[in-house]
């Protein structure tokens, strides 16, 4: 399975973006899916997760109430709706597939990232 994140870009403070993670050469319908991010000079940070079995979701405190993760197994895609963006959300965002819950201890598949830049 190959994952590819897309949808990043430049947005002003308070704006919104929707990121997409598409799978090819297979399906991730039976994997838990995470979004995580990495800002320049900082360590990787968990953002959100969605469980494959019941679509339960889990969020980092820093994005709770602003971000929403959802998936469409028919389209073989997972999304991250990001609202009320602030400069601290600036990072490269990645999607990953794993078996553990709620945090991926090890990514079985991980996509290339998409850059989100929030300008003040």
């Amino acid at each position: 399975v190959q994952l590819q994140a897309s949808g990043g870009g430049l947005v002003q403070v308070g704006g919104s973006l929707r990121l997409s993670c598409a799978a090819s050469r297979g399906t991730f319908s039976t994997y838990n899916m995470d979004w995580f991010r990495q800002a320049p000079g900082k360590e990787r940070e968990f953002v959100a997760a969605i469980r494959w079995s019941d679509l339960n979701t889990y969020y980092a405190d820093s994005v709770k109430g602003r971000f929403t993760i959802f998936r469409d197994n028919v389209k073989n895609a997972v999304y991250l709706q990001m609202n009320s963006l602030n400069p601290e959300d600036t990072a490269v965002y990645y999607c990953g597939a794993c078996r553990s819950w709620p945090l991926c201890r090890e990514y079985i598949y991980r996509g290339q990232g998409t850059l989100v830049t929030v300008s003040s």
Side-chain angles (χ1 to χ4, degrees), residues 6 15-21 33-37 46-51 55-72 77-85 89 93-95 101:
S6 62
S16 298
L17 281 175
R18 177 176 293 185
L19 305 183
S20 300
C21 174
M33 296 297 297
D34 273 14
W35 284 97
F36 59 99
R37 64 189 182 187
F46 166 79
V47 174
I50 185 165
R51 193 157 58 188
L55 304 184
N56 193 18
T57 57
Y58 182 77
Y59 297 93
D61 287 342
S62 59
V63 307
K64 200 173 295 182
R66 300 188 298 121
F67 291 10
T68 302
I69 185 173
F70 57 102
R71 65 194 294 167
D72 185 335
V78 64
Y79 305 92
L80 185 69
Q81 177 67 41
M82 306 187 296
N83 299 328
S84 302
L85 286 162
D89 296 317
Y93 284 71
Y94 302 86
C95 56
W101 177 261

Coordinates of all heavy atoms in Angstrom, one line a residue, residues 6 15-21 33-37 46-51 55-72 77-85 89 93-95 101:
S6 N -2.1 15.0 0.6 CA -2.2 16.2 -0.3 C -3.2 17.2 0.4 O -3.9 16.9 1.4 CB -2.8 15.8 -1.6 OG -4.0 15.2 -1.6
G15 N -8.1 30.4 9.2 CA -8.6 29.8 8.0 C -8.7 28.3 8.2 O -8.4 27.7 9.3
S16 N -9.1 27.6 7.1 CA -9.3 26.2 7.1 C -8.6 25.5 5.9 O -8.4 26.1 4.9 CB -10.8 25.9 7.0 OG -11.5 26.4 8.1
L17 N -8.3 24.3 6.1 CA -7.8 23.4 5.0 C -8.3 22.0 5.3 O -8.5 21.6 6.4 CB -6.3 23.4 5.0 CG -5.5 24.5 4.4 CD1 -4.0 24.3 4.6 CD2 -5.8 24.7 2.9
R18 N -8.4 21.3 4.2 CA -8.8 19.8 4.3 C -7.6 19.0 3.7 O -7.4 19.2 2.5 CB -10.1 19.5 3.7 CG -10.4 18.0 3.7 CD -11.8 17.7 3.2 NE -12.8 18.2 4.0 CZ -14.1 18.0 3.8 NH1 -14.5 17.3 2.8 NH2 -15.0 18.6 4.6
L19 N -7.0 18.2 4.4 CA -6.0 17.3 3.9 C -6.6 16.0 3.5 O -7.5 15.5 4.2 CB -4.9 17.1 5.0 CG -4.2 18.4 5.5 CD1 -3.1 18.0 6.5 CD2 -3.7 19.3 4.4
S20 N -6.0 15.4 2.5 CA -6.4 14.1 2.1 C -5.3 13.1 2.1 O -4.1 13.5 1.9 CB -7.0 14.1 0.7 OG -8.1 15.0 0.6
C21 N -5.6 11.9 2.4 CA -4.6 10.8 2.3 C -5.2 9.7 1.5 O -6.2 9.1 1.9 CB -4.2 10.4 3.7 SG -3.1 8.9 3.7
M33 N -5.8 4.6 11.2 CA -5.1 5.7 10.4 C -4.8 6.9 11.3 O -5.6 7.3 12.1 CB -5.9 6.1 9.2 CG -6.2 5.1 8.2 SD -4.6 4.5 7.4 CE -4.0 5.9 6.6
D34 N -3.6 7.4 11.2 CA -3.1 8.5 12.0 C -2.8 9.7 11.0 O -2.3 9.4 9.9 CB -1.9 8.2 12.8 CG -2.1 7.6 14.1 OD1 -3.2 7.2 14.4 OD2 -1.2 7.5 14.9
W35 N -3.0 10.9 11.5 CA -2.3 12.0 11.0 C -1.3 12.5 12.0 O -1.6 12.5 13.2 CB -3.3 13.2 10.7 CG -4.1 13.0 9.5 CD1 -5.4 12.5 9.4 CD2 -3.7 13.3 8.1 NE1 -5.8 12.5 8.1 CE2 -4.8 13.0 7.3 CE3 -2.6 13.8 7.6 CZ2 -4.8 13.2 5.9 CZ3 -2.5 14.0 6.2 CH2 -3.6 13.7 5.4
F36 N -0.1 12.8 11.6 CA 0.9 13.4 12.5 C 1.6 14.5 11.7 O 1.4 14.6 10.5 CB 1.8 12.3 13.0 CG 2.6 11.6 12.0 CD1 3.9 11.9 11.6 CD2 2.0 10.5 11.3 CE1 4.6 11.2 10.7 CE2 2.7 9.8 10.3 CZ 4.0 10.1 10.0
R37 N 2.4 15.3 12.4 CA 3.0 16.4 11.8 C 4.4 16.7 12.3 O 4.7 16.2 13.4 CB 2.1 17.7 11.9 CG 2.0 18.2 13.4 CD 1.0 19.3 13.5 NE 0.8 19.8 14.8 CZ -0.1 20.6 15.2 NH1 -1.0 21.1 14.3 NH2 -0.2 21.0 16.5
F46 N 1.9 13.7 17.2 CA 0.7 13.1 16.8 C -0.4 14.2 16.7 O -0.5 15.1 17.5 CB 0.3 12.1 17.9 CG -1.1 11.6 17.8 CD1 -1.5 10.7 16.9 CD2 -2.1 12.2 18.7 CE1 -2.9 10.3 16.9 CE2 -3.4 11.8 18.6 CZ -3.8 10.8 17.7
V47 N -1.3 14.0 15.8 CA -2.4 14.9 15.6 C -3.8 14.3 15.8 O -4.6 14.8 16.6 CB -2.4 15.5 14.1 CG1 -3.6 16.4 13.9 CG2 -1.1 16.3 13.9
A48 N -4.1 13.2 15.1 CA -5.4 12.6 15.1 C -5.3 11.2 14.7 O -4.4 10.8 13.9 CB -6.4 13.4 14.3
A49 N -6.3 10.4 15.1 CA -6.3 9.0 14.7 C -7.8 8.6 14.6 O -8.7 9.1 15.2 CB -5.7 8.1 15.8
I50 N -8.0 7.6 13.7 CA -9.3 7.0 13.5 C -9.2 5.5 13.4 O -8.4 5.0 12.6 CB -10.0 7.7 12.2 CG1 -11.5 7.2 12.1 CG2 -9.2 7.4 11.0 CD1 -12.3 8.0 11.2
R51 N -10.0 4.8 14.1 CA -10.0 3.4 14.2 C -10.8 2.8 13.1 O -11.9 3.3 12.7 CB -10.5 2.9 15.5 CG -10.2 1.5 15.8 CD -10.2 1.2 17.3 NE -11.5 1.6 18.0 CZ -11.7 1.6 19.3 NH1 -10.6 1.3 20.1 NH2 -12.8 1.9 19.8
L55 N -14.7 3.5 13.6 CA -14.5 4.9 13.3 C -14.4 5.8 14.5 O -14.6 7.0 14.4 CB -15.7 5.4 12.4 CG -15.9 4.6 11.1 CD1 -17.0 5.3 10.3 CD2 -14.7 4.4 10.3
N56 N -14.0 5.2 15.6 CA -13.7 6.0 16.8 C -12.5 6.9 16.5 O -11.6 6.5 15.8 CB -13.4 5.1 18.0 CG -13.4 5.8 19.3 OD1 -13.9 6.9 19.4 ND2 -12.8 5.2 20.3
T57 N -12.5 8.1 17.1 CA -11.5 9.0 16.8 C -10.8 9.5 18.1 O -11.3 9.3 19.2 CB -12.0 10.3 16.1 OG1 -13.0 10.9 16.9 CG2 -12.6 9.9 14.7
Y58 N -9.6 10.0 17.9 CA -8.7 10.4 19.0 C -7.9 11.6 18.6 O -7.3 11.5 17.5 CB -7.9 9.2 19.5 CG -7.0 9.5 20.7 CD1 -7.6 9.6 22.0 CD2 -5.7 9.8 20.6 CE1 -6.8 9.8 23.1 CE2 -4.9 10.0 21.7 CZ -5.4 10.1 22.9 OH -4.7 10.3 24.0
Y59 N -7.8 12.6 19.4 CA -7.1 13.8 19.0 C -6.1 14.3 20.0 O -6.2 14.1 21.2 CB -8.1 15.0 18.8 CG -9.1 14.7 17.7 CD1 -10.3 14.1 18.0 CD2 -8.8 15.1 16.4 CE1 -11.2 13.9 17.0 CE2 -9.7 14.8 15.4 CZ -10.9 14.3 15.7 OH -11.9 14.0 14.7
A60 N -5.0 14.9 19.5 CA -4.1 15.6 20.4 C -4.8 16.8 21.0 O -5.7 17.4 20.4 CB -2.9 16.1 19.6
D61 N -4.5 17.1 22.2 CA -5.2 18.2 22.9 C -5.0 19.5 22.1 O -5.9 20.4 22.1 CB -4.6 18.4 24.3 CG -5.0 17.3 25.3 OD1 -6.0 16.6 25.0 OD2 -4.4 17.1 26.3
S62 N -3.9 19.7 21.4 CA -3.6 20.9 20.7 C -4.6 21.2 19.6 O -4.7 22.3 19.1 CB -2.2 20.9 20.3 OG -1.9 19.9 19.4
V63 N -5.2 20.1 19.1 CA -6.1 20.3 17.9 C -7.5 19.9 18.2 O -8.4 20.1 17.4 CB -5.6 19.4 16.7 CG1 -4.1 19.7 16.4 CG2 -5.8 18.0 17.0
K64 N -7.8 19.5 19.4 CA -9.2 19.0 19.8 C -10.1 20.2 19.6 O -9.9 21.3 20.1 CB -9.2 18.5 21.2 CG -10.3 17.6 21.5 CD -10.1 17.0 22.9 CE -8.9 16.1 22.9 NZ -8.8 15.4 24.3
G65 N -11.3 19.9 19.0 CA -12.3 21.0 18.7 C -12.0 21.8 17.5 O -12.9 22.5 17.1
R66 N -10.8 21.7 16.9 CA -10.5 22.4 15.7 C -10.4 21.5 14.5 O -10.7 21.9 13.3 CB -9.3 23.2 15.9 CG -9.3 24.2 17.0 CD -8.1 25.1 17.0 NE -6.8 24.4 17.2 CZ -5.8 24.4 16.3 NH1 -5.9 25.1 15.2 NH2 -4.7 23.7 16.6
F67 N -9.8 20.3 14.7 CA -9.6 19.4 13.6 C -10.5 18.2 13.7 O -10.9 17.8 14.8 CB -8.1 18.8 13.7 CG -7.0 19.8 13.4 CD1 -7.3 21.2 13.3 CD2 -5.7 19.4 13.3 CE1 -6.3 22.1 13.0 CE2 -4.7 20.2 13.0 CZ -5.0 21.6 12.9
T68 N -10.8 17.6 12.5 CA -11.7 16.5 12.5 C -11.1 15.5 11.5 O -10.8 15.8 10.4 CB -13.1 16.8 12.0 OG1 -13.7 17.8 12.9 CG2 -14.0 15.6 12.0
I69 N -10.9 14.3 12.0 CA -10.4 13.2 11.1 C -11.6 12.3 10.7 O -12.5 12.0 11.5 CB -9.3 12.4 11.8 CG1 -8.7 11.3 10.8 CG2 -9.9 11.7 13.1 CD1 -7.5 10.6 11.4
F70 N -11.7 11.9 9.4 CA -12.7 11.0 9.0 C -12.1 10.2 7.8 O -11.1 10.6 7.2 CB -14.0 11.7 8.6 CG -13.9 12.8 7.6 CD1 -14.3 12.6 6.3 CD2 -13.4 14.1 7.9 CE1 -14.2 13.6 5.3 CE2 -13.3 15.1 7.0 CZ -13.7 14.9 5.7
R71 N -12.8 9.2 7.5 CA -12.3 8.3 6.4 C -13.4 7.8 5.6 O -14.6 7.8 6.0 CB -11.5 7.1 7.0 CG -12.4 6.1 7.8 CD -11.5 5.2 8.7 NE -10.7 4.3 7.8 CZ -9.7 3.6 8.3 NH1 -9.3 3.7 9.5 NH2 -9.1 2.8 7.4
D72 N -13.1 7.4 4.4 CA -14.0 6.9 3.4 C -13.4 5.6 2.8 O -12.5 5.7 2.0 CB -14.3 7.9 2.3 CG -15.4 7.4 1.3 OD1 -15.6 6.2 1.2 OD2 -16.0 8.3 0.7
A77 N -9.6 6.5 1.3 CA -9.0 7.8 1.7 C -9.3 8.1 3.1 O -10.4 7.7 3.7 CB -9.5 8.9 0.7
V78 N -8.5 8.9 3.7 CA -8.7 9.5 5.0 C -8.4 11.0 4.9 O -7.6 11.4 4.2 CB -7.8 8.8 6.1 CG1 -6.4 9.0 5.9 CG2 -8.2 9.2 7.5
Y79 N -9.2 11.7 5.7 CA -9.1 13.2 5.6 C -8.9 13.8 7.0 O -9.1 13.2 8.0 CB -10.5 13.7 5.1 CG -10.9 13.1 3.8 CD1 -11.7 11.9 3.7 CD2 -10.4 13.6 2.5 CE1 -12.0 11.3 2.5 CE2 -10.8 13.0 1.3 CZ -11.6 11.9 1.3 OH -12.0 11.3 0.2
L80 N -8.4 15.0 6.9 CA -8.2 15.8 8.1 C -8.7 17.2 7.8 O -8.1 18.0 7.0 CB -6.7 15.9 8.6 CG -6.5 16.6 9.9 CD1 -7.1 15.8 11.0 CD2 -5.0 16.9 10.1
Q81 N -9.9 17.5 8.4 CA -10.4 18.9 8.2 C -9.9 19.7 9.3 O -10.0 19.4 10.5 CB -12.0 18.8 8.4 CG -12.6 20.2 8.3 CD -12.5 20.9 6.9 OE1 -12.6 20.2 5.9 NE2 -12.2 22.2 7.0
M82 N -9.2 20.8 9.0 CA -8.5 21.7 9.9 C -9.2 23.1 9.9 O -9.1 23.7 8.8 CB -7.0 21.8 9.6 CG -6.3 20.4 9.5 SD -4.6 20.6 9.3 CE -4.5 21.4 7.7
N83 N -9.7 23.5 11.0 CA -10.3 24.8 11.1 C -9.6 25.6 12.2 O -8.8 25.1 13.0 CB -11.8 24.6 11.5 CG -12.6 23.8 10.5 OD1 -12.3 23.9 9.3 ND2 -13.6 23.1 11.0
S84 N -9.9 26.9 12.1 CA -9.3 27.8 13.1 C -7.8 27.6 13.2 O -7.2 27.5 14.3 CB -9.9 27.6 14.5 OG -11.3 27.8 14.4
L85 N -7.1 27.6 12.1 CA -5.7 27.3 12.0 C -4.9 28.5 12.7 O -5.3 29.7 12.5 CB -5.2 27.1 10.6 CG -5.6 25.7 10.1 CD1 -5.6 25.7 8.5 CD2 -4.8 24.6 10.6
D89 N 0.3 25.5 14.0 CA -0.1 24.4 13.2 C 0.7 24.2 11.9 O 0.6 23.3 11.2 CB -1.6 24.5 12.7 CG -2.6 24.5 13.9 OD1 -2.4 23.7 14.8 OD2 -3.5 25.3 13.9
Y93 N 2.5 17.6 7.2 CA 1.5 16.7 7.7 C 1.7 15.4 7.0 O 1.7 15.4 5.8 CB 0.1 17.3 7.6 CG -0.2 18.3 8.6 CD1 0.4 19.6 8.6 CD2 -1.0 18.1 9.7 CE1 0.1 20.5 9.5 CE2 -1.3 19.0 10.7 CZ -0.7 20.3 10.6 OH -1.0 21.2 11.5
Y94 N 1.6 14.3 7.7 CA 1.8 13.0 7.2 C 0.6 12.1 7.6 O 0.0 12.3 8.7 CB 3.0 12.3 7.7 CG 4.3 13.0 7.4 CD1 4.8 14.0 8.2 CD2 5.1 12.7 6.3 CE1 6.0 14.7 7.9 CE2 6.3 13.3 6.0 CZ 6.7 14.3 6.8 OH 7.9 15.0 6.5
C95 N 0.3 11.1 6.8 CA -0.7 10.1 7.3 C 0.1 8.8 7.4 O 1.1 8.5 6.7 CB -1.8 10.0 6.3 SG -1.3 9.6 4.6
W101 N -3.7 1.3 18.8 CA -4.7 2.3 19.1 C -4.5 2.8 20.5 O -4.2 2.1 21.4 CB -6.1 1.7 18.9 CG -7.1 2.7 19.3 CD1 -7.8 2.8 20.4 CD2 -7.6 3.8 18.4 NE1 -8.7 3.9 20.4 CE2 -8.6 4.5 19.2 CE3 -7.3 4.2 17.1 CZ2 -9.2 5.6 18.6 CZ3 -8.0 5.3 16.6 CH2 -8.9 6.0 17.3

